[in-house]
């Protein structure tokens, strides 16, 4: 059987040219061609263990699994809870078991520059108040409210027995109120409990007035101290997980 030469197999020729280039480049300076990335992703999707063995053998110079994960999990972010972001979190925590699943939700609002920006990709004006979906946004914005967002409200999930840190959702807000926080917080908890299968046992935020009022709204759901301070509440989604 006659052998094939590299000239008759352009794909193979290109692949080995790339391998020679990578061999002559320092490890920290490796830059992979998109075709190499596609090839690596194809193998990795079929068998992670085979990919690891092939890469660790040194027979081929291939991207690390972390690099592949960056390409595989790339998505365009947006306000609210997005399916792509939740899927990334599921992939990141799929091996968690037992106490590794215990997490806290951290809420933080930060000041942003008030401005409108045109997104050439979507054709949308970005910078308006956005609470994740039109109905929630319209219900919380009236004629007296400036529709331009002045703050960004982020919900971060923090592992209590792991190093997990992941922004679950963010929203563009004005001066957020306790009544706006209530549905946003429980939507995040619902996604974590019922979809990602992480167990939320704490909520953390600063002592701003809306945050204190937000905790106070849970007085009838949980426990409070003699002075009226609410310190715990029933997790509404535990029984659904």
């Amino acid at each position: 059987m006659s052998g094939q030469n590299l000239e008759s197999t352009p794909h193979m020729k290109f692949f080995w040219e790339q391998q020679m280039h990578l061999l002559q480049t320092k490890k920290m300076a490796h830059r992979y061609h998109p075709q190499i990335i596609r090839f690596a992703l194809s193998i990795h999707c079929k068998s992670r263990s085979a990919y690891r063995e092939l890469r660790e053998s040194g027979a081929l110079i291939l991207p690390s699994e972390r690099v592949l994960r960056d390409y595989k999990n790339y998505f365009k972010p947006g306000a609210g809870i997005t399916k792509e972001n939740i899927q990334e979190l599921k992939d990141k925590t799929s091996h968690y078991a037992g106490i590794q699943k215990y997490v806290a939700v951290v809420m933080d609002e930060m000041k942003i520059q008030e401005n409108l920006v045109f997104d050439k990709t979507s054709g949308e004006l970005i910078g308006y108040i956005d609470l994740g979906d039109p109905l929630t946004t319209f219900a919380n914005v009236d004629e007296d409210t400036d529709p331009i967002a002045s703050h960004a409200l982020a919900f971060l999930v923090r592992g209590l027995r792991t190093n997990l840190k992941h922004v679950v959702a963010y929203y563009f807000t004005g001066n957020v109120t306790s009544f706006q926080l209530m549905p946003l917080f429980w939507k995040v908890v619902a996604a974590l409990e019922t979809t990602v299968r992480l167990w939320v046992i704490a909520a953390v935020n600063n002592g701003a007035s809306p945050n204190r009022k937000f905790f106070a709204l849970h007085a009838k759901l949980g426990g409070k101290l003699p002075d009226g301070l609410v310190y715990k509440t029933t997790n509404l989604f535990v029984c659904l997980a």
Side-chain angles (χ1 to χ4, degrees), residues 53-115:
E53 185 172 346
L54 183 62
R55 185 172 183 272
E56 291 169 1
S57 71
L60 296 175
I61 301 176
L62 296 171
S64 68
E65 289 186 275
R66 181 176 180 179
V67 170
L68 294 185
R69 188 163 57 248
D70 289 341
Y71 281 94
K72 185 178 178 182
N73 293 333
Y74 172 77
F75 64 91
K76 185 176 177 61
I81 301 172
T82 63
K83 292 181 180 179
E84 296 86 352
N85 191 22
I86 291 298
Q87 185 59 51
E88 181 180 354
L89 181 57
K90 284 181 67 176
D91 294 341
K92 190 184 293 186
T93 61
S94 60
H95 62 285
Y96 284 8
I99 60 175
Q100 292 178 319
K101 287 179 170 286
Y102 289 117
V103 298
V105 172
V106 181
M107 297 168 277
D108 191 21
E109 190 178 38
M110 61 208 79
K111 178 71 176 174
I112 60 174
Q113 182 178 355
E114 299 178 48
N115 199 4

Side-chain angles (χ1 to χ4, degrees), residues 177-196:
T177 68
S178 58
F179 293 101
Q180 291 173 343
L181 279 174
M182 190 74 159
L184 299 180
F185 170 78
W186 284 108
K187 283 181 181 179
V188 169
V189 173
L192 293 173
E193 290 275 354
T194 63
T195 304
V196 188

Side-chain angles (χ1 to χ4, degrees), residues 60-236:
L60 296 175
I61 301 176
L62 296 171
S64 68
E65 289 186 275
R66 181 176 180 179
V67 170
L68 294 185
R69 188 163 57 248
D70 289 341
Y71 281 94
K72 185 178 178 182
N73 293 333
Y74 172 77
F75 64 91
K76 185 176 177 61
I81 301 172
T82 63
K83 292 181 180 179
E84 296 86 352
N85 191 22
I86 291 298
Q87 185 59 51
E88 181 180 354
L89 181 57
K90 284 181 67 176
D91 294 341
K92 190 184 293 186
T93 61
S94 60
H95 62 285
Y96 284 8
I99 60 175
Q100 292 178 319
K101 287 179 170 286
Y102 289 117
V103 298
V105 172
V106 181
M107 297 168 277
D108 191 21
E109 190 178 38
M110 61 208 79
K111 178 71 176 174
I112 60 174
Q113 182 178 355
E114 299 178 48
N115 199 4
L116 293 178
V117 177
F118 179 70
D119 187 335
K120 292 186 291 185
T121 303
S122 64
E124 298 177 347
L125 278 175
I126 299 174
Y128 290 110
I129 289 175
D130 189 345
L131 300 181
D133 66 82
L135 290 178
T136 304
T137 302
F138 294 150
N140 288 278
V141 177
D142 54 38
E143 295 180 356
D144 298 326
T145 303
D146 187 349
I148 307 300
S150 59
H151 293 75
L153 172 65
F155 288 84
L156 178 137
V157 59
R158 181 73 169 88
L160 297 180
R161 298 292 294 177
T162 65
N163 293 323
L164 175 66
K165 292 180 182 178
H166 189 95
V167 175
V168 183
Y170 66 87
Y171 302 90
F172 297 117
T173 67
N175 290 317
V176 71
T177 68
S178 58
F179 293 101
Q180 291 173 343
L181 279 174
M182 190 74 159
L184 299 180
F185 170 78
W186 284 108
K187 283 181 181 179
V188 169
V189 173
L192 293 173
E193 290 275 354
T194 63
T195 304
V196 188
R197 300 293 182 177
L198 295 177
W199 318 140
V200 181
I201 62 172
V204 181
N205 56 28
N206 60 30
S209 177
N211 294 333
R212 296 198 304 271
K213 291 178 180 178
F214 163 70
F215 284 149
L217 291 176
H218 295 82
K220 293 184 178 180
L221 289 174
K224 60 181 179 180
L225 298 175
D227 61 0
L229 179 66
V230 178
Y231 66 96
K232 69 176 182 179
T233 186
T234 301
N235 188 331
L236 302 176

Side-chain angles (χ1 to χ4, degrees), residues 22-32 55 61 64:
L22 292 168
L23 278 170
Q24 298 167 9
T25 308
K26 292 183 179 179
K27 186 176 180 180
M28 297 300 294
H30 283 173
R31 296 292 182 271
Y32 297 95
R55 185 172 183 272
I61 301 176
S64 68

Side-chain angles (χ1 to χ4, degrees), residues 38-48 51 68 72:
R38 293 192 194 99
F39 174 71
L41 282 171
S42 177
I43 298 175
H44 189 267
C45 288
K46 291 179 175 66
S47 173
R48 294 185 181 185
Y51 184 84
L68 294 185
K72 185 178 178 182

